[in-house]
């Protein structure tokens, strides 16, 4: 992750600031089935087989946005996921989120409210494994929460969405792909320990 951020970070930041990106906000809701990911990515507006350098905005939560960067480096379907945080309209933080980062988001969210503590793992499974729409997830589990907490849950889930799509693009069935990503959160449910994530990543 660090190598990719150093290699591409300045160019990605420059293109985001100057609005030199393709708009595709809300694409893939619900997430396509694992076996269909490569086919869907090959279609407009992503056109993943075109390996020319491009930035595509895929999620917009006002002061939190998710972009994908083509090309990635693992396969002809690979891409990098970037998350951007803004303050008063100005880009403050830009990075490629790691499993560690998402694990931290997950644990922090669970500490915010009893409903999140109880249902975040269910929401994560329904969203990534079962491919349910984000609106269905929020309505089913979190409709009683305030808008600030709902937004933070969306930030986590919509970032994880693109990590999962990336995993399925690089490791399609019969490989584990996004199922591997979900194992991180199953382990966190038991351990509440970020070190457990690092053990899983090490033995992939």
């Amino acid at each position: 992750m660090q190598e990719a951020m150093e290699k591409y970070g300045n160019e990605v930041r420059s293109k985001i600031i100057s609005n030199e990106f393709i708009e595709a906000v809300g694409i893939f809701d619900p997430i396509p089935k694992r076996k269909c990911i490569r086919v869907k990515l090959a279609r407009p507006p992503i056109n993943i087989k075109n390996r020319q350098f491009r930035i595509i905005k895929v999620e917009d939560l006002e002061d939190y946005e998710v972009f994908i960067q083509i090309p990635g480096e693992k396969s002809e379907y690979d891409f990098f996921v970037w998350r951007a945080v803004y303050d008063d309209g100005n880009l403050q933080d830009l990075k490629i989120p790691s499993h560690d980062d998402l694990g931290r988001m997950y644990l922090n969210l669970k500490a915010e409210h009893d409903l999140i503590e109880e249902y975040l793992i269910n929401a994560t499974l329904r969203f990534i494994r079962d491919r349910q729409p984000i609106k269905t997830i929020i309505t089913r589990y979190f409709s009683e929460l305030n808008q600030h907490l709902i937004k933070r849950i969306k930030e986590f889930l919509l970032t994880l969405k693109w990590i999962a799509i990336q995993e399925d693009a690089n490791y399609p069935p019969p490989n584990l792909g996004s199922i591997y990503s979900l194992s991180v959160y199953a382990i966190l449910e038991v351990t509440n320990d970020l070190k457990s994530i690092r053990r899983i990543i090490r033995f992939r």
Side-chain angles (χ1 to χ4, degrees):
M1 298 293 179
Q2 189 60 40
E3 279 186 21
M5 287 194 287
E6 291 174 1
K7 182 176 181 179
Y8 298 111
N10 289 339
E11 187 172 5
V12 172
R13 177 179 289 271
S14 175
K15 287 190 177 296
I16 290 174
I17 291 173
S18 59
N19 292 318
E20 296 179 62
F21 52 78
I22 297 165
E23 287 274 4
V25 172
I27 191 173
F28 299 165
D29 183 27
I31 306 169
K33 294 185 183 300
R34 295 186 61 227
K35 64 183 180 181
C36 301
I37 287 292
R38 288 188 168 192
V39 172
K40 298 288 187 181
L41 288 172
R43 296 174 181 168
I46 293 179
N47 299 312
I48 194 73
K49 288 191 173 183
N50 174 3
R51 305 308 283 171
Q52 180 181 356
F53 189 94
R54 283 165 295 140
I55 306 298
I56 304 171
K57 181 161 74 172
V58 290
E59 307 294 344
D60 188 344
L61 293 164
E62 297 177 0
D63 58 355
Y64 186 102
E65 297 176 340
V66 180
F67 296 83
I68 63 171
Q69 170 212 320
I70 301 168
E73 299 171 347
K74 292 181 181 178
S75 73
E76 64 177 338
Y77 291 92
D78 193 29
F79 55 86
F80 288 107
V81 179
W82 295 81
R83 69 105 179 98
V85 178
Y86 297 83
D87 182 18
D88 197 24
N90 297 310
L91 181 58
Q92 293 298 310
D93 189 43
L94 179 69
K95 73 180 299 185
I96 298 174
S98 65
H99 285 294
D100 217 54
D101 294 322
L102 285 165
R104 189 173 294 106
M105 289 177 75
Y106 183 86
L107 292 177
N108 288 343
L109 275 170
K110 287 181 58 176
E112 289 282 349
H113 196 284
D114 288 347
L115 274 178
I116 306 177
E117 165 70 23
E118 183 170 358
Y119 292 118
L120 189 56
I121 186 61
N122 301 59
T124 302
L125 290 170
R126 293 279 183 256
F127 187 57
I128 302 299
R129 183 193 65 192
D130 301 340
R131 295 343 207 198
Q132 293 187 0
I134 187 70
K135 184 177 180 180
T136 300
I137 298 299
I138 297 300
T139 301
R140 179 172 183 174
Y141 295 111
F142 305 119
S143 59
E144 295 180 23
L145 298 178
N146 64 49
Q147 289 305 304
H148 172 71
L149 286 177
I150 289 174
K151 178 177 176 293
R152 289 190 56 202
I153 292 166
K154 286 182 176 179
E155 289 173 0
F156 166 70
L157 289 175
L158 292 175
T159 306
L160 179 61
K161 166 185 172 177
W162 287 95
I163 299 295
I165 291 172
Q166 181 191 44
E167 294 278 6
D168 285 335
N170 283 320
Y171 308 103
N175 299 296
L176 287 176
S178 60
I179 304 302
Y180 166 80
S181 299
L182 286 174
S183 68
V184 167
Y185 305 99
I187 294 295
L188 283 179
E189 281 295 302
V190 177
T191 66
N192 281 316
D193 180 10
L194 284 173
K195 291 179 182 178
S196 61
I197 296 179
R198 298 172 195 133
R199 295 188 194 102
I200 296 170
I201 302 301
R202 188 182 311 132
F203 288 106
R204 182 172 188 187

